[in-house]
Amino acid sequence: MNPSPDPRIFNVTDPARRYTPPPASCYRGGTIRERQTIGRPLKSDILQVLASIGLAALLCQWLAWHLGLPAIVPLLLTGLLLGPGLGWLQPDALLGDLLYPLVSLSVSAILFEGSLHLRFRDIRGLETVVRSFLTAGLLTSWIGLTVASHGLFGFAWPVAGLFGAIAVVSGPTVVGPMLRAIRPSRKIAGILRWESILLPPMGAILALLVFEFIVSSGHGKNPLETTLATFGSMLFVGIGLGITCGLGFAAVLRRHALPSFLHNIGALSLVFALFALANALQAESGLLAVTLMGLTLANSNGAELAMDAIKIFKASISVLLISTLFIVLAARIRFPEIIALGPPALGLLLTIQFITNPLRAWIATYGHGFSAKEILLLGWIGPRGIVAAAVATLIAFRLEQEGYPEARTFIPLMFMLILGTVFFQGLTAAPLARRLRLTESSGEGFLILGSNEVARAVAVALKQCGARILIADTNWHSLRRARYEGLEIFYGNPLSQFAEHHLDLSGIGNFLGLASAEERNLLTAHHLRDEFGPDHLFILRNHGDHDAERHKLGFARFPVAHTLFGSRVSHANLAGLLARGGRLQQSLVTTPDGLPPPKALPLFALDLNNTIHLYTTTRQPQPAPGWTLVCLHNPAEIALPRPSR
């Protein structure tokens, strides 16, 4: 039986209260503690359930990619189906006392992975705005949600403040894919990305402080004194350990004191150990510690190669953890809990979308020169994610142990807010950004696969024409040469889930496959077909006509992308010409025929509107006087085809 609720916190007899949590009898298994006493399944059943969760997570991720939806949507629906729908997945009975430690460790790994991508140079000039979002914006959202939950659900002020602290938390797992689909201006994208990664640990700390205030009040202690002492201890332990471990691990990587095959497992083990140590010294300071460790590593110099490899590994781990967590946590919800929410849940969702989010954006950007359109878009985007769900799960368990039955409401209400914000903002944010004209132009820049000599030469020539160029490759040594030449680089595979969250395509609307392996070009072009459209995909052949068929993939027989520079021009041809002293040079068109200079192969042309036109087997630009031609001049006088007229 639950202890009697404290009337100071929750007065269930007050007729003015419009919400009463469902009784424990409507829950399958009763209260949270009672659910853990359910008979454990057999070991063989546990193995089957765990394997099925992994398979379901894979199918949900594939379905989300295939339909172009945020992965959170099929993951939550699958958890609801397997848990309360079919009753097949019961996480409390399956994992028992391991459930909450596993959730905590998973959240720590997710936050560490996200903080690895926070480089201070990416928000140069926006530091004060980001700081305002994390201070004034956070307090604004917290106060607004506290008032709303008190008025809509009848929570007493301390409990309403606790739920408001949890509900302010956004997350990179939902903001990242949303920004990729919206493609807002780089200024807006940078602010929202930083906020989504730094806000979860701050929101979690705020929630724990409010929880400490409630518990100390119930135990007869001085709540203000206890809360301030806890806050100071959290900051001391979290900041001290996080920065120290980050600097220490960066020094280990710089000095090559750890072999490369242990970098990934070493980082993950250190994150878990840091999280456990910080929580042992001061409860709930672990999230702050692991976030600051990742932030310190991201801004350390001298270990870029090792850090990039760790980022890719951690991204894969995060996908697995996020997928599993959403399914497991959603399976713990019961349909009576969802039904009992009623209209107040919709009211809280509307409050977040149309009151607290816009107000937070306006206050955080006040005095920083943002336009009304930019403030509107910043206030429109703020979906809730896995960190909010995990914190709500942990807090609800501990609060119900303290004798507050309204804590049962936290978990289903938070999942309703997650689904509502993701669905609504996912459907409306992109059209709103386009209507406000705050999206980056998607038809000018080029994503280039490959960092070999041919790719770098073409990239430099395109950059000189004023286009944004991003070179992606997994070969760090050649990619480093591209960076030395002043080119923007992405170390990773554009097909990976890591790229799905972290490949910044703002201002980019074309793909050039210039890798030396034709299969990579074809596969990447096929993957980006929906991203850019078939008319904006271009690849360079690797072989001549006589031996191309034996090197093709099966689907490459069908049109996947336009062939660059002519059907008989190959990567080997261009690499040989560049090795013999060939150079890409610009020449101004002065004659009506627009023919290229002698002994030169035209690659692309720049018209009077600064639009780039590529030469392909199916497209032959017609340069007019005043255009600029970029050609590969051929000092070796090797015969190459002229463009057809």
Side-chain angles (χ1 to χ4, degrees):
M1 297 294 293
N2 281 332
S4 300
D6 190 338
R8 298 172 302 167
I9 305 299
F10 189 77
N11 187 356
V12 295
T13 62
D14 187 349
R17 304 298 191 187
R18 284 170 283 175
Y19 175 80
T20 302
S25 59
C26 76
Y27 290 77
R28 182 182 293 112
T31 65
I32 295 176
R33 173 57 64 184
E34 288 168 352
R35 292 183 212 171
Q36 292 186 324
T37 63
I38 301 174
R40 298 288 196 272
L42 299 175
K43 290 184 178 181
S44 59
D45 296 334
I46 294 176
L47 179 62
Q48 294 173 6
V49 171
L50 292 177
S52 300
I53 292 174
L55 182 59
L58 172 63
L59 293 176
C60 288
Q61 289 285 351
W62 174 84
L63 184 63
W65 166 80
H66 183 69
L67 299 178
L69 297 172
I72 185 176
V73 175
L75 288 170
L76 285 182
L77 295 179
T78 299
L80 292 173
L81 175 64
L82 297 180
L86 301 177
W88 181 77
L89 177 58
Q90 299 184 25
D92 295 273
L94 179 69
L95 299 174
D97 293 334
L98 288 177
L99 176 62
Y100 297 98
L102 289 177
V103 171
S104 301
L105 290 176
S106 299
V107 172
S108 69
I110 293 169
L111 290 182
F112 173 73
E113 189 273 332
S115 63
L116 285 177
H117 304 277
L118 297 180
R119 296 172 298 181
F120 292 126
R121 65 175 180 265
D122 293 340
I123 59 164
R124 196 162 294 155
L126 297 174
E127 298 92 338
T128 55
V129 181
V130 173
R131 194 181 305 119
S132 295
F133 268 92
L134 297 174
T135 53
L138 172 62
L139 291 176
T140 301
S141 297
W142 176 41
I143 294 173
L145 290 172
T146 298
V147 174
S149 59
H150 170 76
L152 292 170
F153 288 90
F155 294 160
W157 287 112
V159 177
L162 178 58
F163 181 79
I166 300 172
V168 302
V169 177
S170 182
T173 59
V174 287
V175 172
M178 192 171 291
L179 293 178
R180 182 179 177 86
I182 299 170
R183 291 188 183 179
S185 62
R186 302 190 75 178
K187 179 170 66 172
I188 292 177
I191 293 173
L192 292 175
R193 187 176 291 111
W194 271 73
E195 183 196 28
S196 69
I197 295 174
L198 292 181
L199 191 59
M202 298 184 67
I205 290 175
L206 178 61
L208 266 298
L209 290 176
V210 178
F211 175 78
E212 189 69 28
F213 183 90
I214 295 175
V215 172
S216 59
S217 299
H219 292 172
K221 302 178 182 178
N222 186 329
L224 183 59
E225 180 181 341
T226 303
T227 303
L228 290 177
T230 302
F231 179 62
S233 182
M234 280 183 174
L235 291 181
F236 179 78
V237 173
I239 295 176
L241 286 181
I243 295 178
T244 300
C245 287
L247 293 175
F249 193 62
V252 169
L253 296 177
R254 279 196 302 268
R255 298 175 183 177
H256 306 286
L258 194 67
S260 58
F261 73 92
L262 290 180
H263 286 174
N264 294 333
I265 189 64
L268 185 62
S269 301
L270 183 58
V271 167
F272 288 161
L274 172 62
F275 180 77
L277 176 61
N279 280 345
L281 295 177
Q282 173 57 53
E284 313 306 336
S285 63
L287 292 181
L288 177 63
V290 297
T291 302
L292 289 178
M293 175 185 169
L295 186 63
T296 304
L297 284 171
N299 293 277
S300 299
N301 297 322
E304 289 84 357
L305 178 59
M307 286 306 305
D308 287 332
I310 291 174
K311 289 177 186 178
I312 296 176
F313 169 75
K314 291 290 293 179
S316 301
I317 293 294
S318 293
V319 171
L320 176 63
L321 295 177
I322 291 167
S323 304
T324 304
L325 277 181
F326 268 122
I327 292 177
V328 169
L329 295 181
R332 301 183 70 250
I333 301 175
R334 303 296 174 241
F335 282 132
E337 298 172 317
I338 299 176
I339 296 173
L341 295 176
L346 178 60
L348 187 59
L349 177 61
L350 295 177
T351 300
I352 290 176
Q353 187 63 48
F354 296 106
I355 299 179
T356 60
N357 276 359
L359 192 59
R360 119 192 175 279
W362 179 74
I363 291 178
T365 57
Y366 183 78
H368 294 290
F370 281 75
S371 66
K373 292 181 179 180
E374 291 173 326
I375 296 174
L376 175 59
L377 187 59
L378 285 170
W380 196 265
I381 303 173
R384 274 46 180 173
I386 185 61
V387 180
V391 173
T393 301
L394 298 174
I395 290 291
F397 173 72
R398 296 182 59 183
L399 189 62
E400 190 173 353
Q401 284 184 318
E402 294 293 328
Y404 302 109
E406 60 270 34
R408 304 179 202 141
T409 308
F410 284 14
I411 300 175
L413 182 56
M414 184 54 62
F415 275 96
M416 292 293 291
L417 294 180
I418 292 172
L419 278 174
T421 54
V422 169
F423 266 117
F424 183 79
Q425 296 175 21
L427 292 174
T428 61
L432 177 64
R434 289 192 295 268
R435 186 172 183 84
L436 297 176
R437 297 182 180 180
L438 293 176
T439 57
E440 291 281 356
S441 174
S442 60
E444 299 177 359
F446 292 84
L447 171 65
I448 298 178
L449 179 66
S451 56
N452 51 70
E453 187 176 1
V454 173
R456 296 197 307 271
V458 173
V460 170
L462 288 170
K463 183 179 179 182
Q464 291 174 349
C465 292
R468 185 197 170 197
I469 306 299
L470 178 60
I471 288 188
D473 203 349
T474 55
N475 186 333
W476 173 253
H477 298 289
S478 61
L479 202 62
R480 184 168 52 184
R481 297 185 63 181
R483 177 194 282 177
Y484 291 155
E485 295 177 12
L487 297 170
E488 186 179 356
I489 64 172
F490 174 78
Y491 178 51
N493 189 343
L495 305 179
S496 66
Q497 187 72 28
F498 173 78
E500 185 73 21
H501 293 288
H502 303 290
L503 182 59
D504 181 12
L505 295 179
S506 55
I508 291 179
N510 303 281
F511 168 74
L512 299 184
L514 302 180
S516 57
E518 188 169 359
E519 292 81 2
R520 289 184 60 201
N521 296 330
L522 291 168
L523 283 172
T524 307
H526 188 268
H527 177 77
L528 296 173
R529 189 177 182 89
D530 294 333
E531 183 80 32
F532 295 140
D535 291 335
H536 298 276
L537 305 175
F538 308 88
I539 62 172
L540 179 63
R541 298 175 67 100
N542 295 76
H543 308 279
D545 287 338
H546 63 284
D547 61 351
E549 291 300 323
R550 74 181 66 181
H551 298 280
K552 283 187 176 182
L553 297 173
F555 68 81
R557 301 175 184 274
F558 305 97
V560 176
H562 298 283
T563 302
L564 285 169
F565 313 141
S567 59
R568 294 179 58 191
V569 179
S570 68
H571 188 281
N573 297 143
L574 299 185
L577 288 170
L578 291 172
R580 291 179 175 91
R583 292 294 179 266
L584 273 66
Q585 297 179 4
Q586 295 183 2
S587 60
L588 185 66
V589 177
T590 58
T591 60
D593 56 20
L595 290 176
K599 300 180 182 179
L601 175 68
L603 303 183
F604 50 90
L606 185 69
D607 64 17
L608 298 177
N609 296 321
N610 293 324
T611 301
I612 297 174
H613 304 269
L614 298 171
Y615 280 86
T616 70
T617 55
T618 56
R619 296 178 180 177
Q620 300 296 328
Q622 307 294 324
W627 285 35
T628 300
L629 273 179
V630 178
C631 303
L632 175 61
H633 290 260
N634 179 15
E637 300 185 6
I638 299 176
L640 285 174
R642 306 282 290 180
S644 59
R645 304 296 296 178

